[in-house]
Amino acid sequence: WTLLAFLCGLFLVYTVDRAILGVLAIPIQEELKLSDVQFGLLSSGIFWTYAIVVPFAGLVGDRFNRKRLIGWAAIFWSVMTLCAGFANGFITLFLLVSVAVVIPQTLYSPTANALISEYHKETRTIALSCHQAAYYTGWFVSGAAVALVLSLCDSWRWTYFIFGGVGIVLGFAFLLFSKSDNSQNVTSAAKPPISDSLKAFFCCPTALLCAFAYIIEVFVGYGYSAWGPKFIAKKFNLTPGAAGTGVMFWHYAAAFAAILASGWLTDRFIKRYQRFRLVFMLATQFVAAPMLVLFAFGPTLASIWTAAAVFGLSRGAYGANQFAAIFDVVDSRYRAGTLGFINVLAGLIGSLAPIGIGYLSQTYGNCGFEWGFASLGVSFIVAIAALLIAHFVTYKRDLKKKALAQA
């Protein structure tokens, strides 16, 4: 649990470093003279870099000391975050925020989730839920944190300086903790062949179907976080800080509460009904789809915040099970690699959302934003179809296949 607490702290900093770009859209665009398409490229570039690097990161996480990998990765991405405060144009900001920060961050998620799954057996869902809750916490505090920095400092650059420094300190603290930790030190002694890691994922239909649903979740989340603050600021004439605080807080605070409650609920019912995760995940997608449409066309701030909060509840409930459902059918030796492969697809497809909405907004103004967010809601139809097939067709067969392989 101490290890989990450290990982939650690192994941929170990781998320804030990622989230502040969207919250700072207006001041960054004004100072650096960036168009909406250029700013969309900054967000999409994050996902392109992630998609290229993360499969290698997942394989590394299955072969080397996971604690040291996480600690040094946190230090490197935090140094690059701090340096982003010195960017003086589109190219330098792209190289720092969309490339240099992201490369070490790719090591974190697959490695940390695999590490948690090794330490937590009976409490796996609640442990992974707590970790994912830190991700949501980072998103919902990012708006308020940026608003505070902007009120105290005269430039958006201080946001990068401050959070980069915090991450460096926390990364070194985690390395010191890892040296003194006498509990199980998880390192893959067998170092499974790459071909086995590929087979464990691509030959498991349930893992592939759950991956498709996760990719849609990432696609929608990236679009929401990249453009939500600016859309609401323009539509209701709010300051960047006020819009960012509302868009991030209502959504991710609700997601935080939902993921913790859902983790506890799933651990209680999964023993009675093995496919409970899939049923639960399906229900969340049916709720999420209309909320994105309401977020797009809601006539008042109250309706917008309601849509953001209910979408957050559904997203948090889904997040409690998104990795655990895949781990149910994938052997522990291949989990970091599997998440790496999944994040390749998520990064490539998710990257289309920010640049697509950026193009619509630049072409059609606020109307483009509205139709862009509504289309995110419609995309959940693909996730629903994938989870239905997994529930009714593939899950039991893949569960038996995993049991036979382990035996």
Side-chain angles (χ1 to χ4, degrees):
W1 293 107
T2 305
L3 174 73
L4 180 63
F6 264 104
L7 292 175
C8 287
L10 288 171
F11 208 15
L12 189 150
V13 172
Y14 165 111
T15 308
V16 172
D17 291 349
R18 182 74 63 83
I20 53 181
L21 178 66
V23 181
L24 291 170
I26 292 176
I28 288 176
Q29 284 186 272
E30 288 178 350
E31 181 176 332
L32 301 183
K33 310 300 182 185
L34 305 181
S35 68
D36 280 355
V37 170
Q38 284 180 309
F39 194 82
L41 284 170
L42 289 175
S43 296
S44 294
I46 292 172
F47 313 130
W48 295 334
T49 303
Y50 198 86
I52 292 169
V53 178
V54 77
F56 305 103
L59 295 172
V60 168
D62 278 336
R63 286 160 175 75
F64 297 97
N65 185 286
R66 288 169 176 165
K67 294 177 185 176
R68 285 199 287 270
L69 281 174
I70 290 169
W72 283 112
I75 292 168
F76 286 135
W77 89 57
S78 297
V79 169
M80 293 299 101
T81 298
L82 187 151
C83 291
F86 296 105
N88 58 6
F90 172 76
I91 298 298
T92 53
L93 193 61
F94 184 90
L95 291 175
L96 287 166
V97 172
S98 303
V99 180
V101 171
V102 180
I103 289 175
Q105 281 187 337
T106 57
L107 282 169
Y108 180 80
S109 184
T111 307
N113 282 293
L115 186 63
I116 292 168
S117 73
E118 289 298 319
Y119 275 78
H120 291 267
K121 306 295 184 182
E122 297 297 323
T123 55
R124 180 173 296 159
T125 305
I126 188 63
L128 289 172
S129 297
C130 289
H131 186 242
Q132 191 68 14
Y135 174 83
Y136 294 140
T137 302
W139 284 105
F140 80 70
V141 303
S142 63
V146 169
L148 178 62
V149 173
L150 291 176
S151 68
L152 297 175
C153 306
D154 60 354
S155 174
W156 56 268
R157 299 176 184 275
W158 280 99
T159 307
Y160 284 103
F161 297 152
I162 292 170
F163 287 107
V166 170
I168 292 169
V169 172
L170 190 57
F172 277 113
F174 181 73
L175 286 177
L176 291 174
F177 159 76
S178 298
K179 287 182 179 180
S180 62
D181 180 20
N182 294 319
S183 60
Q184 178 188 9
N185 191 16
V186 179
T187 305
S188 178
K191 299 188 188 322
I194 294 177
S195 59
D196 287 355
S197 295
L198 289 166
K199 184 179 178 181
F201 173 54
F202 288 103
C203 293
C204 180
T206 301
L208 288 170
L209 290 165
C210 289
F212 278 121
Y214 170 67
I215 289 165
I216 297 301
E217 188 76 16
V218 171
F219 177 83
V220 174
Y222 286 172
Y224 178 88
S225 300
W227 288 114
K230 182 175 181 178
F231 168 48
I232 300 305
K234 293 292 186 181
K235 185 172 182 177
F236 294 98
N237 295 317
L238 301 178
T239 65
T245 299
V247 168
M248 298 301 183
F249 176 80
W250 291 110
H251 178 72
Y252 288 104
F256 174 86
I259 197 170
L260 294 180
S262 300
W264 173 82
L265 185 68
T266 302
D267 278 341
R268 285 179 63 87
F269 284 94
I270 193 70
K271 296 175 183 178
R272 304 178 190 179
Y273 183 57
Q274 283 185 322
R275 285 177 288 179
F276 180 79
R277 293 192 210 282
L278 295 175
V279 173
F280 202 57
M281 292 160 70
L282 268 168
T284 66
Q285 306 301 280
F286 278 107
V287 173
M291 289 303 104
L292 265 298
V293 178
L294 179 59
F295 183 84
F297 296 109
T300 65
L301 270 177
S303 64
I304 296 295
W305 301 150
T306 299
V310 177
F311 174 42
L313 287 172
S314 67
R315 195 173 177 195
Y318 178 88
N321 292 281
Q322 63 186 13
F323 295 136
I326 296 168
F327 291 166
D328 282 346
V329 292
V330 174
D331 189 274
S332 62
R333 292 171 294 172
Y334 313 117
R335 285 171 181 163
T338 293
L339 291 187
F341 299 137
I342 291 172
N343 283 321
V344 173
L345 300 173
L348 290 173
I349 297 174
S351 68
L352 301 177
I355 194 168
I357 294 176
Y359 171 78
L360 288 173
S361 66
Q362 185 166 302
T363 306
Y364 303 107
N366 265 2
C367 184
F369 272 133
E370 290 174 341
W371 285 105
F373 281 103
S375 68
L376 295 181
V378 174
S379 68
F380 277 118
I381 294 173
V382 178
I384 291 169
L387 292 173
L388 282 170
I389 296 170
H391 179 273
F392 288 108
V393 180
T394 67
Y395 182 78
K396 278 191 174 182
R397 183 176 60 199
D398 287 334
L399 203 62
K400 289 179 181 178
K401 188 191 301 182
K402 176 191 171 186
L404 287 173
Q406 290 177 331

